[in-house]
Amino acid sequence: MESKKSRKDCRYVERDLSWMYFNRRILQEAEKQNVPVLERMSFLGIYSNNLDEFFRVRVASLSRIAESKEKIPKADRVRAKATIKEINRLNAAYNKEFEHTVGVVTDDLAKHGIRLLHETDLNEEQKTYIRRLYLDKLNGSTNPVWLNEIKEIGDTDDDSIYLAVKRSRWQADKKNPTITHALIKVPDREVGRFVVLPPSDGFANIMYIDDVVRFCLPLIFIGAGKCTYEAYSFKFTKDAEMDIDNDLSYGVVQKVAKGVKSRKRGEPIRVIYDERMPKDLLRKIMSKLNVDQLDTIVSGGRYQNHKDLMGFPDCGKSELRYPSWTPIVKPELETEDCILDTIRGKDRFLHVPYHSFNSFIRLLREAALNPDVREIQATLYRLAKDSKVVNTLICAARNGKKVTVVIELLARFDEESNIKWSKRMQEAGIEVVFGVEGLKVHSKLVYINCKGGDIACIGTGNFHEGNAKIYTDYMVMTARPTLVREVKKVFEFIRKPFKPVRFRELLVSPNDMKPRILRLIDNEIKNAKAGIDAWIRMKINHITDEDVVERLYDAAAAGVKIDIVLRGNCSLMPSNVDNMHVVGIIDRYLEHSRILIFANGGTPRYYMGSADWMPRNLVNRVEVLTPVYDEDLQRDLARTVDYGLRDTTNGRIVDGFGKNEMQQGEPFRSQEHLYVDYLKESQEYNNIRN
């Protein structure tokens, strides 16, 4: 569904509208019949989860701007209101598309022998199974609260599903029943969202826990006499902004921990409810949620919290998912040779999840044990639940190495986890630095100081084993003195952000990354005007910085050929501009790497790193892009961008208006071709060595 904006006059797409277009590309992947049906379920879950976070963060921010009557200029308030209105229009349309797709995918599952049952579809064996489940696990976890006794619902958990129950109690001496309303929080955390029931009629049977609760309502209200029940689901989303206390008596950790608690008191800003819910009951729910005219209220289907579809059970039918792609262990990083020496001999790189992240863990482990290593420094933004990275750094500290970790406490929704890890690291003797106040530390860096020559790692993604299985990211491991020295200087800058520091090799924000990027674009403009081959080829997550957008328009107008593989927010209007082509890829892996390649008059310049082209990355965060000099890595980066631009199986044209049309041409799936290429290269390397 296209935006209503004029095609002629628009030069800049609002960041949040472009995000809606991006998320719809995920929904469209769930609609494709050639995608395995359980993967389509997962895409529906990803779409829903993304939308929840978007409303918690971005729409909540817009609402605060729109409702503010102090310090916010009127023009900004008007703009925020208009953006919210357009978001709600798109959301309503996409929600209908989403509900339809859920139905189609559910029907397709049944064709493969997996069906969803309602509480009215059960045979006697299944009824007995559910009653036993209630008595063994759910009794005591399903506690109704009378709606009339609740002052407000918004102070409860917004990460759950709720059932609004209408109970009709029949008495023999009365013609009409006594109506009461109750609220039940669905106990999905106790038993999971889906319950696998005994098979029947040749089908594997699955039931939402919501329907299990519906079936068990007579047990939940046992002793109430003759009653009939109706139950309608709803969920709400809160403003996730944290109130950070600036009281000087609080330390950084205490401030963030207090801020996380304040988030739980956020105002509801979006409500989704079962469209069959009676109007009188709906009015009661809305009054208890205190929603206002700027909030999003959407009628939906029988079930909410579709993010749980990411964990939909496969019932042993693994063939309904993508075939496994085992991460490739790069042979040159898994020899018996010292990996530190291997890196000193030549730059090495990983491209996860195609390559195994374990090679990076091996590097840290060798550094933790090697007597020549004196110091390790690392930036950590998000961490796995049982982080091997942190455990290895703790090992290094216990082995007498000086270990310093810069951990970002304000990594959104990971604050509590990062507080936990920071305390654990401190207890193990690691020096923990909480970054720069007012600047998130988003760069992905490791510095290893050792007698034989220092090593640095510079990545595009988090040092996170879980992410490394589903996010496409690059990491370069280098001993080049000029790069390693500057990585060390980044850590010094984080410690002393007001001390003047100049970077000649690395592009570092907030220092000078943005002006240097603009100069790189200007150089292509100059070459184009001089008749020299000029182009920019890149892969990035987001482009929303208005200065960069305008400079790219200038470059395209000057004849610079601009090709972009872009995942998310895109404020460009490529369909209105010659010489500009933007492709968005949604596939089994989340495209996350940032790669920049500039023609540079015939001697291309390559960069990779952590920064997107958004104001927050270029101005308000500590980010690092590194030049790439190794020819093998240059060729690999160029191939990744080229394959993305050629993708006709999972690549959609980003036009600025949300049409999201597939690219045309011979079938070509970039992620599959990359994996096959890496597999062949690994086999060829082993053949040469053997």
Side-chain angles (χ1 to χ4, degrees):
M1 180 178 183
E2 293 185 45
S3 167
K4 290 182 177 179
K5 292 188 176 185
S6 166
R7 285 184 173 274
K8 290 184 178 179
D9 301 329
C10 193
R11 286 178 61 84
Y12 184 87
V13 181
E14 289 286 345
R15 162 187 172 177
D16 297 308
L17 299 183
S18 73
W19 185 92
M20 293 291 289
Y21 303 152
F22 150 69
N23 204 39
R24 190 190 179 208
R25 293 199 288 276
I26 295 174
L27 174 56
Q28 289 171 320
E29 198 65 16
E31 297 168 357
K32 291 166 62 175
Q33 288 291 326
N34 63 332
V35 174
V37 67
L38 287 175
E39 299 295 346
R40 292 163 65 195
M41 274 291 194
S42 293
F43 282 121
L44 289 169
I46 294 167
Y47 173 88
S48 180
N49 187 63
N50 287 352
L51 202 60
D52 284 349
E53 186 170 326
F54 175 70
F55 272 88
R56 283 189 182 121
V57 179
R58 292 302 308 163
V59 177
S61 297
L62 289 169
S63 294
R64 286 194 299 274
I65 293 170
E67 293 171 354
S68 175
K69 295 182 180 178
E70 297 180 1
K71 298 181 181 180
I72 302 293
K74 181 179 179 181
D76 290 343
R77 297 200 304 271
V78 170
R79 183 177 176 180
K81 288 180 181 179
T83 302
I84 292 172
K85 183 178 180 181
E86 181 67 5
I87 287 171
N88 286 338
R89 185 185 74 83
L90 291 171
N91 185 54
Y94 295 169
N95 189 64
K96 291 180 181 178
E97 186 177 348
F98 176 85
E99 293 289 350
H100 172 75
T101 306
V102 169
V104 171
V105 175
T106 301
D107 290 343
D108 287 347
L109 262 181
K111 295 174 184 176
H112 292 279
I114 300 176
R115 65 181 177 184
L116 280 161
L117 298 183
H118 291 179
E119 72 276 12
T120 57
D121 300 329
L122 306 175
N123 62 29
E124 288 304 317
E125 180 187 10
Q126 292 158 351
K127 290 177 181 178
T128 301
Y129 181 89
I130 290 177
R131 291 190 189 101
R132 177 51 55 188
L133 176 69
Y134 174 80
L135 294 172
D136 290 346
K137 293 186 177 181
L138 297 181
N139 189 16
S141 298
T142 48
N143 300 305
V145 179
W146 298 116
L147 202 53
N148 288 338
E149 299 298 325
I150 303 173
K151 290 185 178 180
E152 58 180 280
I153 300 173
D155 59 352
T156 53
D157 185 6
D158 75 334
D159 198 31
S160 299
I161 316 106
Y162 294 86
L163 290 180
V165 179
K166 178 182 178 181
R167 189 184 74 172
S168 302
R169 187 177 183 184
W170 299 85
Q171 296 180 2
D173 59 340
K174 293 184 179 180
K175 293 182 179 180
N176 297 318
T178 301
I179 305 296
T180 50
H181 297 114
L183 194 68
I184 297 178
K185 181 179 176 181
V186 175
D188 55 314
R189 295 178 187 176
E190 286 80 356
V191 296
R193 187 68 191 282
F194 302 101
V195 175
V196 179
L197 301 175
S200 61
D201 306 320
F203 286 92
N205 298 310
I206 295 172
M207 179 178 274
Y208 277 91
I209 188 64
D210 320 30
D211 288 336
V212 171
V213 174
R214 287 184 172 99
F215 178 83
C216 293
L217 286 173
L219 295 173
I220 294 170
F221 289 93
I222 195 166
K226 184 181 178 182
C227 298
T228 56
Y229 300 93
E230 302 170 33
Y232 306 92
S233 67
F234 72 94
K235 67 163 289 183
F236 57 90
T237 306
K238 289 183 181 179
D239 182 343
E241 186 66 20
M242 297 192 307
D243 295 325
I244 302 296
D245 196 330
N246 289 320
D247 188 340
L248 294 177
S249 64
Y250 279 92
V252 175
V253 174
Q254 289 84 356
K255 287 182 182 180
V256 175
K258 190 176 179 182
V260 171
K261 291 180 180 178
S262 76
R263 173 183 286 158
K264 297 176 182 178
R265 299 191 299 271
E267 293 292 325
I269 58 168
R270 180 179 65 140
V271 182
I272 307 174
Y273 65 92
D274 186 336
E275 62 186 0
R276 299 172 303 123
M277 187 184 294
K279 290 183 179 179
D280 61 330
L281 180 52
L282 179 61
R283 283 194 296 269
K284 285 188 177 184
I285 296 294
M286 294 304 168
S287 68
K288 302 289 185 180
L289 284 168
N290 296 321
V291 294
D292 62 33
Q293 61 181 358
L294 283 177
D295 295 327
T296 303
I297 302 172
V298 181
S299 63
R302 181 181 177 89
Y303 308 106
Q304 319 308 332
N305 254 22
H306 290 285
K307 67 179 183 179
D308 296 319
L309 293 174
M310 290 188 286
F312 194 86
D314 65 14
C315 300
K317 295 178 180 287
S318 58
E319 70 277 9
L320 302 182
R321 295 198 180 277
Y322 286 130
S324 175
W325 291 353
T326 304
I328 297 159
V329 178
K330 295 194 77 173
E332 67 270 27
L333 296 178
E334 292 299 318
T335 65
E336 294 182 1
D337 300 334
C338 172
I339 197 169
L340 298 170
D341 290 337
T342 299
I343 295 168
R344 291 189 190 104
K346 184 182 184 303
D347 287 355
R348 303 294 176 174
F349 72 92
L350 296 175
H351 188 188
V352 297
Y354 308 104
H355 295 142
S356 173
F357 188 73
N358 287 335
S359 297
F360 173 65
I361 300 296
R362 175 188 166 177
L363 169 63
L364 290 182
R365 187 177 63 249
E366 287 195 19
L369 299 175
N370 193 315
D372 291 340
V373 172
R374 296 178 285 241
E375 179 183 8
I376 303 173
Q377 298 189 57
T379 60
L380 300 178
Y381 191 74
R382 299 190 192 277
L383 291 164
K385 186 176 181 180
D386 186 20
S387 174
K388 294 179 182 178
V389 172
V390 172
N391 289 334
T392 308
L393 293 173
I394 288 173
C395 172
R398 289 175 174 167
N399 283 328
K401 318 297 182 187
K402 181 181 179 182
V403 181
T404 304
V405 169
V406 179
I407 190 163
E408 181 50 70
L409 292 184
L410 293 177
R412 195 179 296 274
F413 302 122
D414 277 352
E415 299 94 348
E416 289 181 282
S417 172
N418 286 2
I419 288 172
K420 180 198 75 172
W421 279 116
S422 66
K423 291 178 179 178
R424 182 173 170 185
M425 286 187 286
Q426 287 173 327
E427 290 168 357
I430 293 175
E431 181 183 3
V432 178
V433 178
F434 296 118
V436 183
E437 188 168 354
L439 294 173
K440 280 189 179 181
V441 179
H442 191 249
S443 52
K444 323 298 182 184
L445 305 173
V446 171
Y447 166 73
I448 301 173
N449 172 249
C450 47
K451 292 179 183 178
D454 296 349
I455 302 290
C457 300
I458 307 167
T460 69
N462 301 309
F463 301 125
H464 185 304
E465 302 95 287
N467 286 1
K469 294 177 181 178
I470 55 175
Y471 286 26
T472 68
D473 274 306
Y474 274 94
M475 180 194 304
V476 61
M477 297 170 275
T478 183
R480 294 176 187 268
T482 54
L483 295 180
V484 176
R485 282 196 298 268
E486 292 207 349
V487 167
K488 183 180 179 182
K489 284 171 66 176
V490 175
F491 284 100
E492 294 169 358
F493 164 74
I494 292 170
R495 287 174 170 275
K496 300 177 181 178
F498 301 107
K499 181 181 178 180
V501 58
R502 184 178 179 185
F503 297 95
R504 295 181 182 275
E505 294 277 347
L506 301 180
L507 278 63
V508 180
S509 67
N511 299 55
D512 63 353
M513 180 183 288
K514 181 173 176 176
R516 289 178 68 180
I517 286 173
L518 293 175
R519 286 200 294 272
L520 286 165
I521 299 172
D522 285 342
N523 185 55
E524 298 304 317
I525 294 174
K526 181 188 73 173
N527 288 341
K529 290 180 177 178
I532 300 172
D533 190 30
W535 46 261
I536 301 169
R537 293 166 69 84
M538 58 189 288
K539 182 175 180 293
I540 200 163
N541 293 335
H542 312 292
I543 299 178
T544 64
D545 185 273
E546 293 192 37
D547 295 328
V548 172
V549 167
E550 286 301 321
R551 200 62 59 90
L552 289 173
Y553 284 148
D554 293 342
V560 178
K561 185 78 166 60
I562 300 172
D563 292 298
I564 305 172
V565 180
L566 185 143
R567 187 190 86 221
N569 302 331
C570 182
S571 293
L572 291 161
M573 303 292 297
S575 57
N576 285 350
V577 182
D578 293 332
N579 297 317
M580 188 178 290
H581 179 56
V582 183
V583 178
I585 296 171
I586 304 295
D587 203 341
R588 67 187 297 164
Y589 298 142
L590 178 76
E591 296 291 347
H592 193 254
S593 56
R594 292 93 167 181
I595 303 165
L596 310 177
I597 312 173
F598 299 88
N600 192 41
T603 309
R605 301 182 70 172
Y606 293 77
Y607 293 87
M608 53 166 273
S610 62
D612 292 309
W613 286 359
M614 304 177 74
R616 71 181 189 189
N617 302 95
L618 300 177
V619 179
N620 297 319
R621 290 185 175 185
V622 178
E623 304 270 16
V624 172
L625 292 168
T626 180
V628 175
Y629 298 115
D630 181 79
E631 292 183 356
D632 289 338
L633 179 51
Q634 286 181 352
R635 282 192 292 271
D636 203 88
L637 296 175
R639 174 174 60 182
T640 294
V641 176
D642 176 61
Y643 280 14
L645 292 168
R646 290 169 54 190
D647 198 316
T648 56
T649 303
N650 293 76
R652 295 183 181 274
I653 297 170
V654 179
D655 65 350
F657 295 96
K659 291 181 70 175
N660 294 337
E661 294 178 346
M662 294 296 302
Q663 290 205 117
Q664 300 300 308
E666 291 294 318
F668 186 87
R669 184 182 177 197
S670 58
Q671 292 188 0
E672 182 177 29
H673 278 77
L674 280 172
Y675 181 74
V676 171
D677 284 359
Y678 284 132
L679 200 59
K680 288 179 180 177
E681 289 163 5
S682 177
Q683 292 167 346
E684 290 169 0
Y685 187 95
N686 279 322
N687 289 338
I688 292 172
R689 286 181 62 89
N690 294 332

